[in-house]
Amino acid sequence: MNEVIETILSHRSVRKYQDKPLTNEQIHKIVESAQAASTSSYIQAYSIIGVKNQQTKNRLAELAGNQPYVAQNGHLLIFCADLHRHDVIAQIEGKDLSESLESAEKFMVALIDAALAAQNASVAAESMGLGICYIGGLRNQLQDVQELLKLPGRVLPLFGLTIGYPAADTDKKPRLPQANVYHEEVYEQDQNKFIEELKAYDEQISSYYNERTNGKRNDTWTGQMAHMLSNPTRMYMKEYVEKQGFNKK
Amino acid sequence: MNEVIETILSHRSVRKYQDKPLTNEQIHKIVESAQAASTSSYIQAYSIIGVKNQQTKNRLAELAGNQPYVAQNGHLLIFCADLHRHDVIAQIEGKDLSESLESAEKFMVALIDAALAAQNASVAAESMGLGICYIGGLRNQLQDVQELLKLPGRVLPLFGLTIGYPAADTDKKPRLPQANVYHEEVYEQDQNKFIEELKAYDEQISSYYNERTNGKRNDTWTGQMAHMLSNPTRMYMKEYVEKQGFNKK
């Protein structure tokens, strides 16, 4: 196993950081790594906002559901789907590009582009001995995030990424059995096998929690998922995304 | 610069592969790396279909717009947003989760989850000396892809990933200036500066093509983008995505 795969497989989310900011060189290298990711037809449909200002971080932590590590970290990046740049191109080149820019297809392209870049940033950061955590809570109140970061139209914040020197060890959470995620030739057609895999995983997760909480917690993955998905969240998203100029047609 | 960042920064898309399939061990390690990526609230909302069958590859190459490397490679992965698994969970746990599963929010979560996994897979593959190329052309005719891979509802193919031993050297394409993608504290408010950056980039890209084609090609990035986006593609996507059970509310 090489150093790269070792870094990737050692990933765990870090939610507690030392009070030690990243250097500008580190930030530059992390962003350079993000930009090296593949991009759909060279479109580069994303932007990253780097936040150092403590007041901005505090406000974002509040908006993301009072997660303290959004305020306390070595650096905070906000990844955005960005087709504003291509609106500017429409002006420069004197063309109407709105039909494309407002399509569901280009919404997907921008999301995927941004996520590929973010994962490169994460792996690069982790290779430097830093820890990371994705902040989906950023999507709780996007209008406020938008105003705080002065984002123009056709820019949509997707998630935050906290980065910093780990202050505490975190456990690596077991993933779904590979056979349940990786299908050979066609999607698994045997429903019983599929369910058996989920049940075996449930047992593994249940023991995982049990061991780590001295028996206080023993929930299953399917139970967790059913609980979480029983409470629909961020149901304003469809309308909001369209208001920002994405996914309209 | 460590080995990980070196691997990330050396990325270029490889579209010509040696006739040498990946071993099962390599595939296993690449998928394991994919699964190690962060996942929103542990949801793991994606699946990967691995295609070895040459007929299936040939058909996918056709569907993706006759790109020969979709048929000729060391291995082909199809990354899908997958909330079918959570439909099965709804049955197991006896709950109605459709409101969540059909939300724009969970559509975004599934896309981001799948893309993070894919980028880990890419970096892992490249660290083994393999080359990769993302295949967005897979979205040309999703209904056919869906049938070929026997995908159930709430599974949406997003892109392919070809992997293999490179048979030809490819150039690394220059990315947007870092200042145009990475904004400090707030999005760039100076429109003139923003446009100047794009123009400087255009000059760089123009020279890049010029040098590599002995002056036959000297298009700019903004020109390329305006041309591409003038022709809206895959406009069936919004309806199709909803038909598959995503992004409905």
Side-chain angles (χ1 to χ4, degrees), chain A residues 98-160:
Chain A
S98 57
E99 185 83 0
S100 272
L101 296 180
E102 293 177 354
S103 66
E105 161 67 13
K106 288 297 178 287
F107 174 56
M108 290 166 67
V109 158
L111 252 74
I112 294 168
D113 254 30
L116 300 184
Q119 189 54 20
N120 260 10
S122 300
V123 174
E126 290 178 331
S127 79
M128 298 172 178
L130 300 163
I132 63 107
C133 189
Y134 281 85
I135 311 296
L138 196 86
R139 292 192 302 278
N140 286 349
Q141 298 173 72
L142 281 181
Q143 182 66 49
D144 292 300
V145 173
Q146 195 97 21
E147 285 166 20
L148 193 63
L149 305 179
K150 300 192 182 173
L151 306 180
R154 297 210 209 283
V155 177
L156 182 73
L158 297 175
F159 46 79

Side-chain angles (χ1 to χ4, degrees), chain A residues 35 37 42 48 50 52 82 85 93 100 105 119-120 174-175 180 183 185 187 222 229 234 238 247, chain B residues 35 37 42 50 52 82 85 93 100 105 119-120 174-175 180-181 183 185 187 222 229 234 238 247:
Chain A
Q35 287 195 258
Y42 211 14
I48 307 167
K52 287 181 180 172
D82 188 347
R85 196 177 287 115
E93 302 281 334
S100 272
E105 161 67 13
Q119 189 54 20
N120 260 10
R175 298 305 196 230
N180 196 263
H183 308 254
E185 301 303 330
Y187 200 93
T222 60
L229 296 168
R234 304 173 193 148
K238 190 161 204 277
N247 199 36
Chain B
Q35 288 196 258
Y42 212 13
K52 287 181 181 173
D82 187 347
R85 196 176 286 115
E93 302 281 333
S100 272
E105 161 68 13
Q119 189 54 21
N120 261 11
R175 298 305 196 229
N180 196 264
V181 168
H183 308 254
E185 300 304 329
Y187 200 94
T222 60
L229 296 167
R234 304 175 192 145
K238 190 160 203 276
N247 198 38

Side-chain angles (χ1 to χ4, degrees), chain A residues 2-5 7-9 11 27-28 31-33 35-38 41-44 46-53 75 77 82 84-86 88-89 93 95 97 99-100 103-106 108-109 111-112 115-116 119-120 123 127-128 134 139 148-150 152 155 158-159 173-176 178 180-187 189 195 201 205 221-226 228-230 232-235 237-238 242 247 249, chain B residues 2-5 7-9 11 27-28 31-33 35-38 41-44 46-53 75 77 82 84-86 88-89 93 95 97 99-100 103-106 108-109 111-112 115-116 119-120 123 127-128 134 139 148-150 152 158-159 173-176 178 180-187 189 195 201 205 221-226 228-230 232-235 237-238 242 247 249:
Chain A
N2 65 48
E3 197 188 309
V4 179
I5 293 178
T7 300
I8 287 175
L9 295 183
H11 164 71
I27 296 170
H28 178 84
V31 175
E32 194 185 353
S33 298
Q35 287 195 258
S38 293
S41 303
Y42 211 14
I43 193 172
Q44 306 178 75
Y46 61 94
S47 275
I48 307 167
I49 318 288
V51 180
K52 287 181 180 172
N53 182 293
H75 195 52
L77 301 177
D82 188 347
H84 164 74
R85 196 177 287 115
H86 297 79
V88 174
I89 290 175
E93 302 281 334
K95 297 216 172 159
L97 308 176
E99 185 83 0
S100 272
S103 66
E105 161 67 13
K106 288 297 178 287
M108 290 166 67
V109 158
L111 252 74
I112 294 168
L116 300 184
Q119 189 54 20
N120 260 10
V123 174
S127 79
M128 298 172 178
Y134 281 85
R139 292 192 302 278
L148 193 63
L149 305 179
K150 300 192 182 173
V155 177
L158 297 175
F159 46 79
K173 267 160 119 185
R175 298 305 196 230
L176 279 163
Q178 185 163 130
N180 196 263
V181 168
Y182 181 70
H183 308 254
E184 290 178 346
E185 301 303 330
V186 295
Y187 200 93
Q189 301 294 299
I195 291 175
Y201 184 51
I205 294 300
W221 184 71
T222 60
Q224 263 187 37
M225 290 301 113
M228 175 179 76
L229 296 168
S230 296
T233 53
R234 304 173 193 148
M235 294 304 288
M237 193 56 74
K238 190 161 204 277
E242 290 181 14
N247 199 36
K249 44 187 78 166
Chain B
N2 64 49
E3 197 187 307
V4 179
I5 293 178
T7 300
I8 287 175
L9 296 183
H11 164 71
I27 297 169
H28 178 85
V31 175
E32 194 184 353
S33 298
Q35 288 196 258
S38 293
S41 303
Y42 212 13
I43 193 171
Q44 305 177 77
Y46 61 94
S47 275
I48 307 167
I49 318 288
V51 180
K52 287 181 181 173
N53 181 293
H75 195 50
L77 300 177
D82 187 347
H84 164 73
R85 196 176 286 115
H86 297 79
V88 174
I89 290 175
E93 302 281 333
K95 297 213 172 160
L97 308 176
E99 185 83 2
S100 272
S103 66
E105 161 68 13
K106 288 298 178 289
M108 291 166 67
V109 158
L111 252 74
I112 294 168
L116 300 184
Q119 189 54 21
N120 261 11
V123 174
S127 79
M128 298 173 179
Y134 280 86
R139 292 193 301 278
L148 193 63
L149 306 179
K150 300 191 181 173
L158 297 175
F159 46 79
K173 266 160 117 183
R175 298 305 196 229
L176 279 162
Q178 186 164 130
N180 196 264
V181 168
Y182 181 70
H183 308 254
E184 290 179 346
E185 300 304 329
V186 296
Y187 200 94
Q189 301 294 299
I195 291 175
Y201 185 51
I205 294 300
W221 184 71
T222 60
Q224 262 186 37
M225 291 300 113
M228 175 178 75
L229 296 167
S230 296
T233 53
R234 304 175 192 145
M235 295 304 287
M237 194 56 73
K238 190 160 203 276
E242 290 182 14
N247 198 38
K249 43 188 78 166

Side-chain angles (χ1 to χ4, degrees), chain B residues 100-153:
Chain B
S100 272
L101 297 180
E102 293 177 353
S103 66
E105 161 68 13
K106 288 298 178 289
F107 174 56
M108 291 166 67
V109 158
L111 252 74
I112 294 168
D113 254 31
L116 300 184
Q119 189 54 21
N120 261 11
S122 300
V123 174
E126 290 178 330
S127 79
M128 298 173 179
L130 300 163
I132 63 107
C133 188
Y134 280 86
I135 311 296
L138 197 85
R139 292 193 301 278
N140 286 348
Q141 298 173 72
L142 281 181
Q143 182 67 48
D144 292 303
V145 173
Q146 196 98 20
E147 285 165 20
L148 193 63
L149 306 179
K150 300 191 181 173
L151 306 180

